[in-house]
Structures are given as C-alpha cells and as structure tokens.
Amino acid sequence: MVSTGPETKNLENHLNNCFVRPCNPHIATMKEDVLYHFNLSTSTHNFPEMFGDVKFVCVGGTPSRMQTFIRNLAPDLGLSIPGADYPNICEGTDRYAMFKAGPVLSISHGMGIPSIAIMLHELIKLLYHARCSGVTIIRIGTSGGIGLEPGSVVITQQAVDACFKPEFELVVLGKPVVRSTDLDEQLVRELAQCSADLSQFPTVVGNTMCTLDFYEGQGRLDGALCSYTEKDKQEYLQAAYMAGIRNIEMESLVFAAMCRACGLRAAVVCVTLLDRLKGDQISSPHEVLDEYQQRPQQLVGHFIKKCLSSSSSSSSAGCL
Ligand code: R2B
Ligand code: URA
C-alpha cells in the first residue's frame, strides 16, 4: 500500500507555506544534529546563516560535475567574485561534496539508491535547520536511453522501479514501507519549456526506470553475471518502452519519494549516454560524453536564471 498520511500533509504544508520539513517528529526535539556524512553539525555551524537563502538545490553523481555546475552558473547569475573559487563546504569528508553560489546549492550524491538516500536525509535536515522555504531540487545526471538518440535529455514524468511501478519500497523495522514517487507536473512543464527556449539538444518528457544495479539490474549482457539472452533483454526493454520508460538510471526512485514526503518540489533531468536497444557498452569518446553531461546542467542553469529573473511570477518563483 502506498503510504499517505503525514507525508501528504507535508506536501500540503509545502504548498501552503513552502517550508522544508523532515517527516520525522524526533528531529525537532534534538539538541544537536550531527550531519555526519556532510561533516556539519548544528552546534558548530550556523545553518540559517550558511544556507538560509537557498532556493535551488542541484544534485548529481560526482563532485567534479557539481563543482563545474556552480562555477559555470555563478557568473551567469552575477555572483562570481573575481579570483575566488567555490570551496567544498563538506571539506573534511570525502563522502559528498557541496558547493554554493548565492541561492544555489550543488551537491554530489554518488551512485545508487543507498548513497543518494543518505545524502538526502542529511540535506533535508540541513534545509530544515536553515529554515529554508520554497526550495526546488533537481537531480541532474546520466542514464541509458531506450529508443532515443544518444545525447537526448529526459525530463522524468514518473520514476518507476524495475517492475515499472511508480513506488519506492524500503524495509523499515523489518516491514516494507512503500512511498509514492510522483514528481511535480508543473515543474516538468517549466523544464520542458526551458529546453524549448534553448533549442540546443533533443529533449523528451518520459518515465525513468530506476534500478539497483548497472549490469543485470538494467538487463545488460556485459556484466560479470548474466543468465538471460539478447532476446530476453530486448523483450524487457521493449516492454519498458511500451510502459513509457525512456531512460534508466539508479537514483530517481528514492529521490522522488523522499522529496515528495518532505515537501520539496523535485525534478529529474538526465542525459542519455547510449541507446540501450542498440547496445550495452558506453563507448563514445570522452569529449562526446563530456559534452552530453553538460546538457542537463545547461537546461537547469537556464531554468534557475529564468526563475531568478522573474521572481515576481506566481509559478516556480512564487516562494522566492
Ligand atoms: C547514472 O550513472 C551511474 C552509473 O554509471 C548511476 O549513478 C546513474 O544513475
Ligand atoms: N547510467 C546508468 O545507470 N545506466 C546507463 O546505461 C548509463 C548511465
């Protein structure tokens, strides 16, 4: 069963007053909160001062990609300081890296559901302790496409699991807890419009399948283990295509579920590195892959600039 209750209330809260709230009554009673994997603590850092102005959070797999994102975006927002770089706020730990320019926070999350989930628990608490409101969070990443030209960008309509279900299941205290993975439809439309504004690369809105593994979990034939045929693989990917799935990655399910439960407006924007109907290996030259990886950053960078320049409008910038 998909849980609703306090989580649906949290989304309503967000729409009403736009504050980020963990879906956990214990947090408000804690004297100190140590965000261990960020190397930050409420007793040694002033969260409202450091992060209170955050309105956009971008998350992606690697530290270098997330630093590049901030380095490229800051001058466009008129926020760069000549000669200054963007230090890693999580210095002292190499679990995650975090960079900030004005209202934009950029954080790496590593690979897979467990890694991004740990990061999101601490990020959501950070935004809560900082008393942030009206925050939009976007995952910018890479993926394998289904039936798309490599380099296409997919804006996720719905994150689904490997059985094509729009649900994230986690075993909590020995029992399965199932959460909805619905994403913000208005945000999807705004991002699609941004890609149309840019008109620089093909972009589609489609479902994204999130798996627990890159090889067998995504039906690859080139892993260390494989117990199926090319025909089995093609049938699975064709069935995925018929279910509206246009790309496969490894984080969107828990990202969508946690953000929804805690009142964060969330989206997933991933570039496809290959067409999985045509192969499994990612063998394009590095320059080509590097250029592909910049596409979600360009789209989301444009979105942020647009929101900030029209902060009086009533949609995405309504809570600024
Ligand atoms: C996309 O790329 C990574 C695997 O190579 C994984 O983090 C993902 O979602
Ligand atoms: N990331 C994935 O998870 N799968 C791919 O095929 C490519 C990138």
Side-chain angles (χ1 to χ4, degrees):
M1 207 187 71
V2 176
S3 77
T4 48
E7 295 170 5
T8 306
K9 266 220 169 72
N10 235 345
L11 196 66
E12 283 163 14
N13 277 346
H14 170 68
L15 295 174
N16 291 336
N17 60 27
C18 303
F19 280 95
V20 179
R21 286 186 210 289
C23 196
N24 174 3
H26 302 288
I27 301 300
T29 68
M30 288 167 66
K31 258 194 163 161
E32 180 192 9
D33 194 359
V34 178
L35 306 185
Y36 167 66
H37 302 87
F38 285 166
N39 199 27
L40 298 172
S41 158
T42 52
S43 65
T44 50
H45 299 84
N46 184 335
F47 283 32
E49 201 172 286
M50 289 174 76
F51 303 109
D53 61 341
V54 169
K55 297 292 176 194
F56 301 95
V57 181
C58 295
V59 303
T62 70
S64 63
R65 211 193 302 146
M66 300 324 289
Q67 187 172 37
T68 304
F69 176 69
I70 281 288
R71 276 191 185 138
N72 292 340
L73 183 65
D76 285 356
L77 298 180
L79 293 168
S80 60
I81 304 160
D85 202 1
Y86 298 88
N88 177 6
I89 297 167
C90 296
E91 206 193 15
T93 174
D94 52 11
R95 294 296 186 189
Y96 304 108
M98 185 188 291
F99 308 92
K100 184 176 183 296
V104 187
L105 198 60
S106 173
I107 312 168
S108 67
H109 58 59
M111 280 193 286
I113 285 176
S115 184
I116 194 173
I118 294 167
M119 190 283 286
L120 286 172
H121 276 283
E122 297 188 9
L123 170 66
I124 291 166
K125 294 194 298 168
L126 178 154
L127 296 171
Y128 165 72
H129 292 308
R131 299 195 275 278
C132 291
S133 63
V135 177
T136 296
I137 179 165
I138 304 177
R139 162 164 147 71
I140 46 179
T142 59
S143 62
I146 305 182
L148 297 177
E149 184 191 325
S152 301
V153 169
V154 179
I155 302 170
T156 304
Q157 179 96 59
Q158 214 169 26
V160 300
D161 67 12
C163 300
F164 313 159
K165 278 202 286 193
E167 293 171 4
F168 173 61
E169 180 180 310
L170 183 72
V171 176
V172 179
L173 302 182
K175 297 191 186 85
V177 171
V178 181
R179 295 191 168 108
S180 161
T181 56
D182 284 348
L183 289 159
D184 189 296
E185 288 175 23
Q186 170 68 16
L187 184 54
V188 168
R189 283 193 289 274
E190 289 174 26
L191 288 163
Q193 182 56 51
C194 284
S195 184
D197 296 348
L198 287 174
S199 192
Q200 282 174 15
F201 37 77
T203 301
V204 299
V205 172
N207 293 342
T208 295
M209 179 160 73
C210 177
T211 66
L212 302 183
D213 170 51
F214 181 84
Y215 288 98
E216 288 179 287
Q218 297 187 4
R220 281 188 156 79
L221 297 163
D222 62 344
L225 287 83
C226 181
S227 55
Y228 42 83
T229 63
E230 166 75 28
K231 184 169 169 279
D232 298 333
K233 167 195 150 176
Q234 288 296 338
E235 279 173 10
Y236 179 61
L237 294 181
Q238 288 293 347
Y241 189 88
M242 294 310 289
I245 296 166
R246 294 294 176 270
N247 66 337
I248 313 174
E249 47 78 272
M250 297 176 62
E251 292 85 17
S252 59
L253 212 58
V254 71
F255 172 82
M258 288 183 69
C259 294
R260 180 184 156 81
C262 297
L264 276 165
R265 208 164 92 102
V268 180
V269 179
C270 289
V271 71
T272 62
L273 301 182
L274 76 169
D275 181 357
R276 288 298 317 289
L277 298 178
K278 299 194 174 140
D280 294 337
Q281 298 242 306
I282 302 174
S283 50
S284 298
H286 262 279
E287 316 82 73
V288 172
L289 295 176
D290 279 350
E291 195 274 316
Y292 286 171
Q293 290 187 30
Q294 286 166 26
R295 294 178 176 189
Q297 302 190 23
Q298 285 164 11
L299 199 166
V300 172
H302 178 72
F303 168 77
I304 293 173
K305 279 180 264 169
K306 202 169 159 181
C307 288
L308 289 174
S309 66
S310 65
S311 58
S312 55
S313 83
S314 61
S315 59
S316 60
C319 290
L320 288 176

